[in-house]
Amino acid sequence: PSLLAAMDSLFQLGALDDDGFLTAVGRKMADLPLEPSLSKCLLAAALTEGCLPAMLTIVSVISAGQSGGGGLFIRPRDPDRQQLADHKRSQFASRDGDLITYLDVYTKWIDNGKSMHWCNEHFLQHRTLKRAHDIRQQLEVIMKRLTSNAAGTTSVTTTNKDHGDTVAIRRA
């Protein structure tokens, strides 16, 4: 049953055709070292003007949290520090959801020189952000290759401080 569930999931993402063979999208997804759903998000973002740089960051933070053994936010054991950590975390919260919060945290970390001290002040896992940065660089290279064959090549390196259209990002 788990193999059938996995194949159904890949079919729903457009990676497999009715006969169970890889589609063109599936071949591109296979080139990305990510969970299939995250690969599909990047490929969808590449089709929306200005969306790919933000989605690269979001996917990288999610992937780093999954593979790095730790989340983005630190939760101290001391109740007083927990309250301070909750306050710091609320400063990053976006009304547009957690994905935009991840984007904001990463962008502010970059703006603060990728500082470990800044992470400690804001109860953030420096290791997770550093890993996200490394993953993002790797994904940029792959996405440049995957999108270079398209007629209108999408920029993957643009940093947009206002994160562009958050509705488009959430849809991708």
Side-chain angles (χ1 to χ4, degrees):
S2 60
L3 179 61
L4 290 176
M7 288 184 70
D8 184 56
S9 177
L10 291 171
F11 176 77
Q12 296 299 324
L13 291 169
L16 296 178
D17 65 16
D18 292 336
D19 297 321
F21 293 103
L22 276 178
T23 63
V25 169
R27 281 189 281 287
K28 286 184 178 184
M29 288 172 60
D31 284 340
L32 292 161
L34 297 167
E35 302 247 343
S37 59
L38 296 178
S39 296
K40 179 66 182 224
C41 286
L42 282 184
L43 295 173
L47 301 175
T48 305
E49 183 67 34
C51 191
L52 185 56
M55 190 57 74
L56 275 166
T57 299
I58 292 166
V59 164
S60 297
V61 171
I62 292 169
S63 184
Q66 290 173 343
S67 63
L72 182 58
F73 295 97
I74 296 171
R75 183 77 176 155
R77 291 187 179 150
D78 175 36
D80 292 334
R81 300 218 6 108
Q82 285 179 1
Q83 194 171 23
L84 180 59
D86 290 344
H87 173 71
K88 293 287 188 175
R89 184 176 184 163
S90 71
Q91 293 175 333
F92 292 111
S94 170
R95 62 182 169 83
D96 291 320
D98 288 345
L99 301 181
I100 305 304
T101 297
Y102 296 159
L103 181 61
D104 287 340
V105 167
Y106 181 89
T107 302
K108 289 176 182 168
W109 176 67
I110 294 291
D111 291 347
N112 283 279
K114 302 181 214 164
S115 166
M116 183 181 287
H117 176 71
W118 182 84
C119 286
N120 291 337
E121 281 181 12
H122 293 89
F123 297 89
L124 298 167
Q125 289 280 2
H126 184 261
R127 180 178 40 209
T128 300
L129 286 165
K130 189 171 178 343
R131 178 136 173 79
H133 183 67
D134 294 343
I135 291 168
R136 191 183 192 289
Q137 288 180 316
Q138 293 169 12
L139 292 176
E140 273 185 32
V141 171
I142 296 168
M143 288 304 293
K144 281 180 185 176
R145 182 175 46 81
L146 290 177
T147 60
S148 67
N149 299 336
T153 301
T154 304
S155 171
V156 297
T157 56
T158 305
T159 302
N160 188 352
K161 294 292 181 189
D162 68 1
H163 310 312
D165 183 2
T166 59
V167 173
I169 293 168
R170 287 181 285 156
R171 283 186 184 148

